[in-house]
Amino acid sequence: VCVKHFMPRVGARVSQRLTHTVADRGIFRVFHCVSDRLRELSVARRREFAAATAATAHEAMSSAAHARDAADAADADPPTSSSTHTRVVHRVFKFPASDDDEIVRDAYREPPGVARKLKGFAFFESMGSPKYHVAPMVDQSELAFRELCRRHGATLGYTPMIHARLFMESAKYRREIFSTTAGDRPLLAQFCANDPDVLIEAAKMIAPYCDGVDINFGCPQRIAKRGNYGAYLMDDWPTVEALIKRLDEELPVPVTAKIRVFDDLETTLKYAKMVEAAGAQLVAVHGRTREQKRCSEYRANWAFIKRIKEELKVPVLANGDVRSFAEAQACLEATGADGILSAEPLLSNPALFSDPPYYPPPTDGFAPIPLDGTAGVDLLIEYIEICRDYPAPFSSVRGHIWKLVGHWLAELVEFRDELNSSNGSSVSMESILDWAKRLRAAVKNIETSNEGRRRPIPKKTERALAREAAEEAKRAAIAESQREEDALKGTMLNERSRSRAPARRLIMRHCGI
């Protein structure tokens, strides 16, 4: 009765199923039949919701493009996010800093439990088979940025990397590092850890607010080496296995893993199979080794990702060398992966996964990122507007500003100086929004008054010019000092020569020379 009341379509199907089964099955078998049917319908409805969301996003992006073109033609301000997207603001959940803090329960979902949680592709399909993923990034994949990416084609988001021990020990850290809403799904919460006992306790706290918990085995930075986590656990397979297995056996939601490849294919496949056997229900693979930290210097090994996909029985996500929607499609085709992760390129173009593209990639040989023209500024303005509803730390906001419009700040140095002089503790989103709108007007003016120039020409700031002048004066002073020293040495040598001349003449006379 409750099912029929709250979900009429589902209830009608369940009632029909009950009518046909109650006569020849026991009541307990009927109960299990209904439970299985509800689970099937839940997966189907999630798929329908994902398809409807994608269609809505497509329409919104098309209208946003027309609105931007109209604004440019009229030389007006760009349309706000509220005018190009359906404005649905959810209450934000944060872990309480003290017992007096109110807890927002909107984002809470009862975890399925250890025995009933889905595995492998069943888990993947329950999330709508998401194809385009916002990769976990330290201090960068926060709630506001995930919302921006979801508006432009992303279908799953990872939280920033969370330090499991700090998450357990510090209420302040928990409150700062994690926030979500009822609409922030599907969501994977990523932890870094090397102790199964600490990891399971931290993961249990966050489980009701995410679809799964991911373990970071891919971070190659020095801080990961000092903390003995991330990619530096690739040398400690027993710990990797223990971390995954503990969560698979005790956590009420599925566990996933993000890994890197080794130099050779054989070791890479053994490692990926071990991760799957330990209990990872989804494996994201970065196609670079731990030593290949600079993405611009090394190409991702899509061939290794393809072989991993062929060997594993759980969903595999590909990561690396995806800077545009066209490259995302090429990666999916080359690897056969079930989805794509993007990290650094997504910071420069949060609409990377939009189809059709939010801004077409250049055809003149330039890289697809950073975005030229006003595209990056438009995305920044939308992000700042989202931050008014879903606040983000100023450090994260500043980081996104540099990634989205930093190339323009190399020319419009007055805006760069203004940004650098801002104080994070006192700056407001309204002042940042005003700064971004003025920046857009300046970029648009360059485009209209310089024969359509859409790329910046870096210019030196007064500070840089003063620094160069000081360095030049320093070099001149050093050169003058060297000349004086050389002149002094020459004078001393001449005096020594003159003082030794009489003695040489006496010796020569004495010897009859």
Side-chain angles (χ1 to χ4, degrees), residues 5-19:
H5 179 71
F6 291 106
M7 294 186 293
R9 288 196 303 165
V10 177
R13 298 180 193 177
V14 171
S15 298
Q16 185 180 15
R17 189 70 177 267
L18 274 172
T19 304

Side-chain angles (χ1 to χ4, degrees), residues 105-128:
R105 295 292 182 183
D106 303 24
Y108 180 91
R109 292 185 189 176
E110 187 65 31
V114 175
R116 298 184 60 189
K117 63 183 178 182
L118 300 176
K119 303 284 187 178
F121 277 96
F123 163 59
F124 192 62
E125 291 170 0
S126 73
M127 297 188 293

